[in-house]
Amino acid sequence: MRPPAAPAVTAEAVGDDLPDLAVTVRAEAMKPTALLLRDPNPIHLDPAVVRGLGLGDRVINQGPLNVGYLWEMLARWTGDAGLVRSLDVRFTSNAFAGEVLVAGGVIEDVADPADGDRIATCAVWLCAEDGRDVVRGTARVVLPPRPTTPDDGGDPR
Amino acid sequence: MSTAGSVGPARMRDGALRIQAFEDWLLRDALGAPTSGERPHGAWTVVGSFRGMGEGLDGLFRMLGAGTDDGVMFGECRIEQVRPLEHEREYVVRCEVLGATRRTGRRVPVFDVVEYVTEIVEQSAGPDGTATEVVAVRCHASMIVPRPEAAA
């Protein structure tokens, strides 16, 4: 997949929604992820193990992938994942192969100090189609500086 | 923090992390993200914390007193990104289990909430040869560890 053409911050005020990101949980994606994580847990690989544990009949997505969808949603919003200062999440339910999840968020606060970065505090979530929360939490993200204008005393050139 | 069962404060030996470009491609592909980027995908803050642990996830599970197929689940995770990670850079990864709290629930009758902290650390030598360290990423997380033997 190619990078998005033009990253742009389309939300930057309290109450603004962050652009949703819909993803489909893929069993095939869990296999390389298990290798990258060095995670031997068979619940990500073998549906028979999931059934044996009474957790369902499809493999269960790795938690770091669920967090990764939130990072991706934030990266598409800001254009730069390096602007995410913190991500504080709670894992509330499992996501299963084949499910469609939506990552989203809303800006709850914007700190705009005179001598520092503008920081947006956002409620973020990853929800399944049936409305179930998979992950819920808070992200703190640096917003781009406001454009200066002559009235601000900034350089108008 | 109180300790529960055999889980008490313990530190894992230091590990290493180096994110190669093809590994970043694989993770991005798994996430459905653009497969190229100036820096590793943000998900490496968590993936790298696990991947780089000195004794691996197996070792962490041993410290939790659990097996990899015991139904251990993520609880919470607070990720601080002090500096974005970089491709092909060598990092040190530290992991420390802080302790555990025993709880009871409906779905899992008895379980421990085990807290641990991982740090992905940049190490470099200053002009005078002095070693310096900067924490690039810190994750303060918890795992839910079922304890069926305690419920019996």
Side-chain angles (χ1 to χ4, degrees), chain A residues 1 3-4 26 29 33 36 38-41 64-65 68 71-72 76 80-82 84-91, chain B residues 23 27 29-35 39 41-43 45-47 51 57-58 68 74-81 84:
Chain A
M1 186 185 294
R26 294 180 296 128
T33 304
L36 293 171
R38 310 287 192 266
D39 179 358
N41 195 332
L65 280 182
W71 274 100
E72 180 60 19
R76 291 188 189 204
D80 181 0
V84 179
R85 288 278 176 86
S86 67
L87 183 55
D88 190 351
V89 295
R90 182 182 179 90
F91 297 83
Chain B
E23 295 174 307
L27 182 60
D29 185 64
L31 289 164
T35 47
R39 291 189 289 258
H41 194 277
T45 54
V46 181
V47 173
R51 149 75 169 282
L57 265 173
D58 273 344
T68 51
F74 247 138
E76 298 180 351
C77 187
R78 186 166 67 243
I79 307 159
E80 294 171 59
Q81 178 175 242

Side-chain angles (χ1 to χ4, degrees), chain A:
Chain A
M1 186 185 294
R2 292 175 184 281
V9 174
T10 54
E12 53 180 297
V14 172
D16 285 353
D17 290 328
L18 312 188
D20 282 350
L21 173 68
V23 293
T24 301
V25 177
R26 294 180 296 128
E28 291 308 308
M30 298 181 209
K31 297 171 185 175
T33 304
L35 276 173
L36 293 171
L37 284 163
R38 310 287 192 266
D39 179 358
N41 195 332
I43 64 170
H44 309 305
L45 307 173
D46 187 350
V49 172
V50 180
R51 278 193 291 273
L53 288 168
L55 296 173
D57 57 5
R58 290 175 287 170
V59 286
I60 296 171
N61 210 24
Q62 284 102 344
L65 280 182
N66 293 338
V67 176
Y69 303 142
L70 289 178
W71 274 100
E72 180 60 19
M73 181 271 293
L74 293 168
R76 291 188 189 204
W77 167 46
T78 62
D80 181 0
L83 297 174
V84 179
R85 288 278 176 86
S86 67
L87 183 55
D88 190 351
V89 295
R90 182 182 179 90
F91 297 83
T92 52
S93 66
N94 290 325
F96 296 89
E99 284 196 293
V100 175
L101 308 177
V102 175
V106 62
I107 299 177
E108 292 189 323
D109 182 62
V110 177
D112 194 359
D115 57 351
D117 292 327
R118 281 199 306 153
I119 304 277
T121 300
C122 312
V124 294
W125 54 80
L126 182 68
C127 293
E129 281 179 302
D130 61 8
R132 186 180 85 252
D133 278 350
V134 173
V135 177
R136 190 165 277 274
T138 303
R140 292 177 64 249
V141 180
V142 177
L143 294 173
R146 289 186 192 283
T148 54
T149 66
D151 291 344
D152 293 332
D155 186 341
R157 285 175 295 179

Side-chain angles (χ1 to χ4, degrees), chain B residues 12 14 19 27 42 51 54 57 63 78 103-104 110 130 148:
Chain B
M12 198 181 278
D14 288 355
I19 305 165
L27 182 60
R51 149 75 169 282
L57 265 173
M63 291 167 79
R78 186 166 67 243
R103 302 261 177 87
T104 56
V110 181
T130 311

Side-chain angles (χ1 to χ4, degrees), chain B:
Chain B
M1 165 173 288
S2 63
T3 59
S6 58
V7 181
R11 186 167 188 147
M12 198 181 278
R13 70 168 184 271
D14 288 355
L17 173 68
R18 178 167 169 251
I19 305 165
Q20 296 182 266
F22 85 94
E23 295 174 307
D24 188 37
W25 192 102
L26 284 169
L27 182 60
R28 287 169 173 274
D29 185 64
L31 289 164
T35 47
S36 61
E38 190 181 330
R39 291 189 289 258
H41 194 277
W44 279 101
T45 54
V46 181
V47 173
S49 298
F50 282 129
R51 149 75 169 282
M53 284 178 181
E55 294 163 45
L57 265 173
D58 273 344
L60 179 63
F61 277 51
R62 274 195 302 276
M63 291 167 79
L64 305 182
T68 51
D69 53 358
D70 283 350
V72 176
M73 293 169 285
F74 247 138
E76 298 180 351
C77 187
R78 186 166 67 243
I79 307 159
E80 294 171 59
Q81 178 175 242
V82 182
R83 293 190 190 188
L85 299 173
E86 297 170 30
H87 290 118
E88 308 293 347
R89 180 168 188 150
E90 302 285 348
Y91 294 95
V92 172
V93 179
R94 300 203 170 113
C95 176
E96 183 174 9
V97 173
L98 303 178
T101 306
R102 174 97 4 133
R103 302 261 177 87
T104 56
R106 269 186 307 155
R107 198 160 62 87
V108 181
V110 181
F111 59 95
D112 289 339
V113 178
V114 183
E115 287 190 43
Y116 66 96
V117 175
T118 56
E119 291 179 337
I120 302 177
V121 180
E122 296 176 7
Q123 288 185 324
S124 56
D128 60 352
T130 311
T132 60
E133 286 194 351
V134 176
V135 175
V137 174
R138 180 180 292 109
C139 291
H140 186 148
S142 62
M143 292 280 194
I144 310 298
V145 184
R147 300 296 189 198
E149 70 281 2

